[in-house]
Amino acid sequence: MRVETVGPDGTPEVAAVGAIHGDEPAGVRAIERFLAEGPTEHLRRPVRLVVANERALAAGERFVDADLNRVFPGDADAAAHERRLAARLLAELGDAFVLGFHSTVSFNEPFGTLADLTPEKARLMGALPLSHAADFTGVVEGRSVNLPRFVNVEVGPQGTDAAADDAYECLLAYLRAMDALPGEVEPTPTTHYRVTDLLEKEPGRTYRVAVENFERVPDGDVIVRSRDGEHVVRAEGDVWPVLLSADGHESLLGYTANAARPIETAVPSR
Ligand SMILES: [Zn+2]
């Protein structure tokens, strides 16, 4: 794990993390570019920048022993590299608010992922240059988004210069939104998707996706079908596909949401 702290002295309350998955280099490229040529001299708050899974990054693999983004909070004494790494990463991040970077083959524009929406998370999603934020509350556990002050941005296509450029723009917008960099925050309308269902592949089949991510699929329409026609998934009620792709993941097709609305109206009242 590489940890860099830039800006004024003090305990960082603003952080960004790349290489949560080793085969998604866009966030690392954004962090390295910021360290090399970013406006670090203008930082008004200390910022912690982390390249998390250097071993997986060097290998070009999603992970070495276990998926880092399934094993939070981790265990400092575990045998698996990523379980130890998760514990060390959380110790480095402390109480900071964190932007995590991921890459996807499912969608070419940046979008957010989160869970347990708070006013702070909603504000950050609105301040980043993205239009969609997928909320995985209750659907996933052990992930970074389950942490109280953590949101992710997904950039794509995985491994491209375009993804790295989008990650950099998101990093700058994030630092402005956190008041770590001067400059106007330009809020963008962001739609919040309440993710409810996980779509899995049947072993041995290959698939064809029939719909677009974040676009409404009416009740009964085909979302995805296997190339042999034996496995067909249809919308039950109106749904919105999220992270859906035929070959982005070994066993997973993606997710569906059952509601979409402006993110500022989605924050639970307390
Ligand atoms: Zn990822």
Side-chain angles (χ1 to χ4, degrees):
M1 180 168 59
R2 176 182 176 193
V3 180
E4 303 280 355
T5 305
V6 288
D9 289 343
T11 303
E13 294 174 352
V14 181
V17 179
I20 293 167
H21 291 132
D23 59 349
E24 301 173 5
V28 178
R29 288 178 61 185
I31 286 170
E32 289 178 342
R33 179 174 165 190
F34 185 78
L35 290 169
E37 61 181 64
T40 49
E41 72 277 14
H42 296 304
L43 284 168
R44 308 199 271 218
R45 305 177 72 186
V47 174
R48 186 149 285 169
L49 300 170
V50 181
V51 176
N53 200 342
E54 289 190 288
R55 275 171 59 180
L57 184 67
E61 301 284 346
R62 187 175 174 88
F63 55 82
V64 178
D65 295 326
D67 189 331
L68 177 60
N69 204 26
R70 301 289 187 280
V71 298
F72 287 102
D75 175 355
D77 300 318
H81 167 63
E82 281 84 2
R83 290 183 190 278
R84 294 194 307 275
L85 183 58
R88 285 171 51 215
L89 177 60
L90 292 188
E92 288 293 344
L93 296 174
D95 296 326
F97 194 91
V98 188
L99 178 66
F101 287 103
H102 289 267
S103 301
T104 176
V105 295
S106 71
F107 200 65
N108 292 348
E109 291 166 35
F111 64 94
T113 65
L114 58 92
D116 306 317
L117 187 63
T118 62
E120 186 179 42
K121 292 178 180 182
R123 186 184 72 81
L124 256 301
M125 287 282 113
L128 295 182
L130 48 84
S131 305
H132 311 286
D135 186 334
F136 289 86
T137 304
V139 178
V140 299
E141 56 184 35
R143 301 213 193 172
S144 55
V145 290
N146 297 111
L147 301 168
R149 301 189 78 208
F150 205 117
V151 294
N152 285 320
V153 62
E154 295 265 1
V155 294
Q158 198 163 336
T160 63
D161 290 344
D165 287 345
D166 284 344
Y168 189 68
E169 292 306 315
C170 286
L171 178 60
L172 293 180
Y174 168 66
L175 294 175
R176 285 194 293 269
M178 294 299 289
D179 201 31
L181 278 179
E184 282 297 301
V185 174
E186 293 164 23
T188 49
T190 302
T191 303
H192 172 272
Y193 301 82
R194 182 73 180 85
V195 177
T196 48
D197 290 276
L198 181 156
L199 308 183
E200 285 179 297
K201 296 180 179 180
E202 289 182 351
R205 298 196 202 284
T206 58
Y207 286 82
R208 198 189 308 264
V209 169
V211 295
E212 299 291 331
N213 278 295
F214 302 115
E215 291 186 12
R216 186 177 67 89
V217 181
D219 184 26
D221 276 16
V222 173
I223 301 170
V224 63
R225 88 169 75 229
S226 63
R227 289 185 182 271
D228 60 12
E230 295 292 318
H231 181 208
V232 178
V233 181
R234 292 178 185 276
E236 295 177 21
D238 287 359
V239 302
W240 288 259
V242 173
L243 280 164
L244 185 67
S245 74
D247 35 38
H249 193 275
E250 203 173 313
S251 61
L252 199 64
L253 288 160
Y255 301 86
T256 55
N258 70 353
R261 56 178 167 159
I263 197 165
E264 60 275 15
T265 68
V267 181
S269 50
R270 33 182 298 171

